[in-house]
Amino acid sequence: MTRAMQSYLSRRAAVLGLASFGIGSAAALCSRSAYADFDLELAPSLRSHSRVSGIKFGCAGAAPSVQPDRILLEKFATEANIFVPETALKWDATEPRPGEFNFGEADSIAAFAARNDMLVHGHTLVWYAAIPPWVSQITTSQEAKAALERHIATQVPRYRSKIWAWDVVNEAIEPEDRLENGYRNSVWLRALGVDYIDLAFRLTRAADPVVPLCLSEYGIEYATAASQRRREALLGLLQTLRDRNTPVDCLALQSHLEAHQILDHRELTSFLRSAVKLGYRLMITEMDVNDVKIRGSEPERDLAVARHAAEYLDIVFSVARPMSIATWGLSDRYTWLRQYYKRSDGTPLRPLPLDTDLNRKPMWASLAKFMAA
Ligand code: G3I
């Protein structure tokens, strides 16, 4: 064995050790000139951890036909075994006019996934947003039911066996709307009442008998009154859906985290335990860690992001191993957050596992630790 190979193997073993011991240490190493000692780029990919742990890793992105960022797509195929279309499977993309379907972008993602032995996370069938004007203008229960039936019966079978799981209903609660049970005031609720949720899941189950069906939500992580109201409303909905025998398999925890916030270990743990006790499997589906309010250098911010991610994942894993972890983007280069949040120092946000140059960051090491769990 050559000296170079010996050196590579000893460094790889060291990096493996890096990924397995405390994230604080791993991230701390990354925050100093650890790159001289440990090269995260040599560590096994998140996808390779998935083969061992059985936890799938995904990331959201644009269709190759829309954003042909070849190097980023190579990283997708290296790190992930799930591709989450960030927008390509939403109603405004696939059925812009009644009965007129356009699956071009979604098909390009499905083809890329198939070429790279990946699956697609179906995001999302029924949402209050990303809907075309003709859907926003629905007012009667008959129109709403007919629209849901046609949309789901057309879109779901098309991707059967290519889809890992479906986010059937997205963001159904919004306590700030002050409606009964904290339901969100949406075109669907106004036209059909809360029955729209049960209907959406039954239609999807009829269209695909085996794919896991998810209810997707955000904003339940923190020690704030708003998070507590969301946890209470979501748990109430999960209980209602169980009482109705609605075919919901998973709770999709979007996990859009904010590094400056305080995670509510007790209340979040209690909420997750209650959801699991109701028979819901857990998925982490849109994870990113917003560092808009974290002061300091990039390495210090990266360390804060990595630690916050690890603290959150530790809470989730203490209750149940999620079926999958997906981040909402793979690289800081394309995070959605930059459209809505600006740091006071004017520097770009750093919420994702890879930086804008597609190098692994301490957050990547946090994910590796739990993907290997
Ligand atoms: O493709 C059009 C382009 O042709 C047009 O020129 C441009 C300007 O109007 O808009 C482009 O579409 C945008 C699309 O992203 C693709 O970039 C839409 O306007 C914009 O609204 C859309 O935003 C997405 C948003 O969901 C709504 O679909 C974000 O990228 C995406 O990150 C965000 O993701 C959501 C999840 O689905 C649910 N959970 C929260 C998460 C973040 O908001």
Side-chain angles (χ1 to χ4, degrees):
M1 184 183 301
T2 65
R3 286 178 56 80
M5 177 56 77
Q6 281 172 342
S7 162
Y8 163 76
L9 289 176
S10 63
R11 287 170 64 192
R12 189 169 189 279
V15 172
L16 268 176
L18 175 68
S20 60
F21 69 71
I23 288 307
S25 319
L29 281 170
C30 295
S31 68
R32 295 195 299 276
S33 59
Y35 295 109
D37 310 317
F38 294 99
D39 184 347
L40 269 186
E41 296 308 314
L42 288 179
S45 69
L46 298 174
R47 181 169 181 164
S48 64
H49 289 310
S50 174
R51 281 192 281 274
V52 176
S53 66
I55 301 169
K56 299 252 186 233
F57 180 72
C59 35
S65 56
V66 169
Q67 189 180 76
D69 184 331
R70 186 178 52 79
I71 308 295
L72 178 70
L73 288 167
E74 284 172 9
K75 292 287 185 181
F76 263 60
T78 301
E79 297 285 4
N81 41 21
I82 301 284
F83 195 131
V84 189
E86 189 163 0
T87 57
L89 277 173
K90 292 173 179 173
W91 204 311
D92 60 352
T94 62
E95 194 183 359
R97 281 163 297 284
E100 280 184 41
F101 288 90
N102 173 3
F103 293 113
E105 290 185 23
D107 286 353
S108 84
I109 288 175
F112 176 86
R115 285 197 303 275
N116 292 282
D117 193 23
M118 299 168 81
L119 290 170
V120 176
H121 187 108
H123 178 81
T124 183
L125 292 170
V126 182
W127 192 22
Y128 73 92
I131 51 179
W134 73 269
V135 174
S136 308
Q137 291 150 18
I138 288 173
T139 52
T140 69
S141 58
Q142 292 79 2
E143 286 175 301
K145 190 165 180 292
L148 288 171
E149 285 170 344
R150 179 176 56 200
H151 189 72
I152 291 172
T154 307
Q155 181 156 316
V156 171
R158 184 182 186 89
Y159 298 103
R160 194 176 299 172
S161 79
K162 297 184 174 76
I163 292 272
W164 150 249
W166 272 108
D167 290 343
V168 176
V169 172
N170 191 39
E171 303 177 4
I173 62 158
E174 182 42 87
E176 306 314 309
D177 285 352
R178 305 261 185 267
L179 295 182
E180 184 190 10
N181 300 316
Y183 295 143
R184 181 182 293 275
N185 183 3
S186 71
V187 60
W188 306 113
L189 190 78
R190 292 189 296 273
L192 288 164
V194 73
D195 291 353
Y196 85 91
I197 301 174
D198 183 76
L199 175 62
F201 278 96
R202 292 187 187 283
L203 291 172
T204 308
R205 179 51 75 224
D208 185 327
V210 296
V211 69
L213 304 183
C214 306
L215 179 76
S216 167
E217 266 306 341
Y218 68 93
I220 58 161
E221 300 89 2
Y222 294 109
T224 62
S227 264
Q228 186 56 27
R229 283 193 294 272
R230 296 188 70 82
R231 287 188 288 265
E232 288 165 3
L234 182 51
L235 194 54
L237 176 55
L238 292 171
Q239 180 67 65
T240 298
L241 294 174
R242 274 292 174 263
D243 294 345
R244 298 184 61 159
N245 292 317
T246 302
V248 191
D249 306 298
C250 308
L251 173 59
L253 303 164
Q254 290 186 14
S255 311
H256 290 293
L257 306 178
E258 298 176 293
H260 66 282
Q261 290 268 30
I262 307 296
L263 288 160
D264 194 326
H265 287 244
R266 190 184 59 185
E267 293 301 327
L268 179 55
T269 301
S270 170
F271 166 82
L272 292 173
R273 282 184 180 147
S274 301
V276 168
K277 197 173 172 189
L278 285 170
Y280 294 97
R281 302 284 306 276
L282 302 181
M283 285 188 186
I284 292 172
T285 54
E286 304 184 18
M287 189 171 180
D288 44 28
V289 185
N290 193 338
D291 64 335
V292 67
K293 292 187 178 174
I294 300 298
R295 304 166 67 87
S297 65
E298 286 185 355
E300 288 164 335
R301 287 162 51 190
D302 288 351
L303 181 55
V305 161
R307 283 179 163 159
H308 197 82
E311 185 183 350
Y312 171 73
L313 290 170
D314 199 43
I315 295 170
V316 175
F317 276 68
S318 71
V319 174
R321 275 159 56 98
M323 294 171 71
S324 58
I325 299 176
T327 53
W328 205 244
L330 182 58
S331 158
D332 299 337
R333 188 183 292 181
Y334 295 110
T335 175
W336 69 285
L337 290 167
R338 68 180 172 199
Q339 304 166 56
Y340 302 97
Y341 299 91
K342 304 292 180 197
R343 286 179 53 83
S344 57
D345 63 9
T347 60
L349 300 178
R350 299 174 64 85
L352 289 167
L354 305 188
D355 67 17
T356 51
D357 295 324
L358 307 186
N359 298 310
R360 292 168 174 174
K361 295 156 60 189
M363 180 182 174
W364 181 95
S366 294
L367 292 168
K369 174 183 168 74
F370 288 90
M371 282 298 300

